[in-house]
Amino acid sequence: MTLMTPAPIDQQEDEEMLVPHTDLAENNHQPMEVVAQPETANNTVETQPVEDPPSSRFTWRIDNFSRMNTKKLYSEIFVVGGYKWRVLIFPKGNNVDYLSMYLDVADSTSLPYGWSRYAQFSLAVVNQIHDKYTVRKDTQHQFNARESDWGFTSFMPLGELYDPSRGYLMNDTLIVEAEVLVRRIVDYWTYDSKKETGYVGLKNQGATCYMNSLLQTLYHIPYFRKAVYHMPTTENDMPSGSIPLALQSLFYKLQYSDTSVATKELTKSFGWDTYDSFMQHDVQELNRVLCEKLEDKMKGTVVEGTIQKLFEGHHMNYIECINVDYKSTRKESFYDLQLDVKGCRDVYASFDKYVEVERLEGDNKYQAEQYGLQDAKKGVLFIDFPPVLQLQLKRFEYDFMRDTMVKINDRYEFPLQLDLDRENGKYLSPDADRTVRNLYTLHSVLVHSGGVHGGHYYAFIRPTLSEQWYKFDDERVTKEDIKRALEEQYGGEEELPQTNPGFNNTPFKFTKYSNAYMLVYIRETDKDKIICNVDEKDIAEHLRERLKKEQEEKEHKKKEKAEAHLYTIIKVARDEDLVEQIGKDIYFDLVDHDKVRSFRVQKQMSFNLFKEEVAKEFGVPVQFQRYWLWAKRQNHTYRPNRPLTHVEEAQSVGQLREVSNKVHNAELKLFLEVEFGPDFHPIAPPEKTKDDILLFFKLYDPDKEELRYVGRRFVKSTGKPSEILTMLNEMAGYDPNEEIGLYEEIKFEPNVMCEPIDKKLTFRASQLEDGDIICFQKAPAIDSEQNVRYPDVPSYLEYVHNRQVVHFRSLDKPKEDDFCLEMSRLYTYDDVVERVAQQLGLGDPSKIRLTPHNCYSQQPKPQPIKYRGADHLSDMLVHYNQVVIVQSFIFLYPKTIGE
């Protein structure tokens, strides 16, 4: 069984239990009082939309409850919204000391593939003495084949349930109630937003729904969109580094694309990394910062002042003495207004509270210039309102009693038309221009669904201020009616219509956790200017060309993806790649296949024809090419395994790939063996016998701490390493008689294994085979006093495997790199502080204190690392049980350390 978290609407700590469909006790039914539609449902209704809101209440009387020995019990089937339901209970608890109760889809095993239904529901155990003690819990769920039942594992304690004095079990009869509200489901797998609505959505990067709803709102203010298009950008700008260009690109795609649009370029232009996209930021702050940045970029251009013209209003803060002729005023601008929700029934009540007069008297008298302490009135009045009025509703507040942030889900109404001239302009200052008519019409409703610690954001928008509303929910855009856009976003509690006038008339209510948190109004007298026409002539030519190319590339990739089953990728590695990569990009194994030449060829192409393409690309005649298949070994290394046979080369590329899949993944990876004659022209490769072994050689220089690839050779398995020493010295450019040491590079994960090779044993006895790697170096003299850090190949490879670049910052400047050190993850605590002390010129390393760095907040963590509190540097680099990326982990140290 799978424990599930309660749906957000419940806001309790009860655990939801998904009950498996196996061993369903179909015969454990009890009679049920059903007041609902007759059971006429059939499977076909699953694909039909259900009218909102079909709902019903059902009462289930369970007699002889305490004498039941069954583990679980099902009610009879009832129908709501054309769907079959039943209640499932565990009388003795579902492995807990609580009554467990769930709502179950009765016919889930016989429904068609892909079925789904969404319901809000409450389950209750009725108190038969005092109805106010009835235990009722409500939640919501999207039911499907995997989650066909949902409810509460810990509904109520069994001790309370079975206590006769509590009133839940009377005459050994239990009364259970279920209220079910079925919501309409749209088949979003095949839903086309552009086709259905004419608009497209924005892709969610992880937790960017709050940003998406804001961007859609701004986009659908055409005057704002036109101004963004007219901001000067150049073809040399990059969207990821330019907010104006990124926003232009985004708006253009929203206007002309047929599918949902990505926002990654825009968030990159904000300076966000991937982690930021998974964090919910403050919407109001994002709106202000975005507008400020655009306002700054508009200066000195044809659209300078647009942000102010659209969004800026002014109010006057005043203090007026009551008994003397003195008044102090201060004019301030605003781009949005924060309105109280708590204690206010609607927007007008919030404005009343906003301009409410405060009396300054008693101990709180006002110090007036020349007049001393005076009784006074303090308040705010509006000088002017902007054409586009943004209202931030204070749904989130700090609760001082509970010492935590809470969400205010109270009912809060807002009108379709907002009259801020009401009651003779009670909100306006004496200096306000009374000729301007402050009558506004609602343009956007931004909604938050969830609790204080998270949730989902979406927006209801009237793009043309017509009667038609649209819901912009990330990638999905749907048509909605005014009730859904306004009334259902007021918050508060929702009460469903009663269908049973009988036993229990308590209305079914549940708190609505989806409610408006931001409103955008447009002034009636300005709407024709603001809801203006925006077409291609408003978009810079370079932007159109750039986005046209992007669209062509997108279509090309889409075509490639659609035709992917007809093609395969062949990656061809050569000696040149090994020379280029080993000792620079890689140190272990032979090559990074992502950095070699790749060919996209049709599967039906013959391999011999492919060889002709390679001949054109690399200048190696077909008859001089020999290909080796790569193999992933059990120790996770990747080596050339065997050459292709003539029979295999006569096959098609697709057939050959099927053969190669036994060796590695779906891509065909090959090593091209090319031999060269004395004149450096390609020649035919030598015949390979069963006794021949292809070995690859790397040379290590301890003085330079350098490892490089020097070539490959065939050797006889019956031969001995001592027989190839002269050849290796020649490859290295050493004296023919130079004493050298040989090591086999065996593996590097999870630990390095590189062992000396006995020169007297045969290659076969040393278990060397095709594709193996031999590293060699000058043998250090026994009496030598070489001052090198890593005298041999194994110690060097161990160092490379464990080295880590660590950034250090001063504790008083946690956002600025001070210096970097390359260290081994095997360093002890003492090794680390000693290296830091050397860097800082401190004589006593014990005076160094290291504090881990939070790479997300860019701040030091609360506690420093304890003295010798970690065995190795690798232990210090652990962040949430994962080793932090090299460049992102930073230690902080104080400039001076106290006693």
Side-chain angles (χ1 to χ4, degrees), residues 364-380:
N364 194 32
K365 287 185 177 183
Y366 174 61
Q367 180 69 44
E369 293 179 11
Q370 303 174 356
Y371 298 101
L373 293 173
Q374 294 289 328
D375 292 338
K377 297 182 296 182
K378 178 182 178 182
V380 177

Side-chain angles (χ1 to χ4, degrees), residues 154-218:
S154 302
F155 187 82
M156 66 179 297
L158 293 176
E160 293 183 15
L161 178 68
Y162 285 95
D163 184 348
S165 65
R166 295 295 187 103
Y168 298 107
L169 202 57
M170 301 294 290
N171 300 320
D172 207 19
T173 296
L174 185 76
I175 300 176
V176 171
E177 287 186 348
E179 294 258 14
V180 181
L181 169 69
V182 178
R183 292 288 192 183
R184 181 171 63 91
I185 294 176
V186 178
D187 182 8
Y188 289 115
W189 288 104
T190 58
Y191 185 79
D192 186 329
S193 293
K194 185 80 168 188
K195 182 179 178 181
E196 296 294 332
T197 67
Y199 301 103
V200 297
L202 292 169
K203 294 179 181 178
N204 193 326
Q205 293 186 46
T208 56
C209 50
Y210 69 96
M211 180 185 71
N212 289 350
S213 60
L214 175 64
L215 290 173
Q216 289 282 15
T217 301
L218 294 173

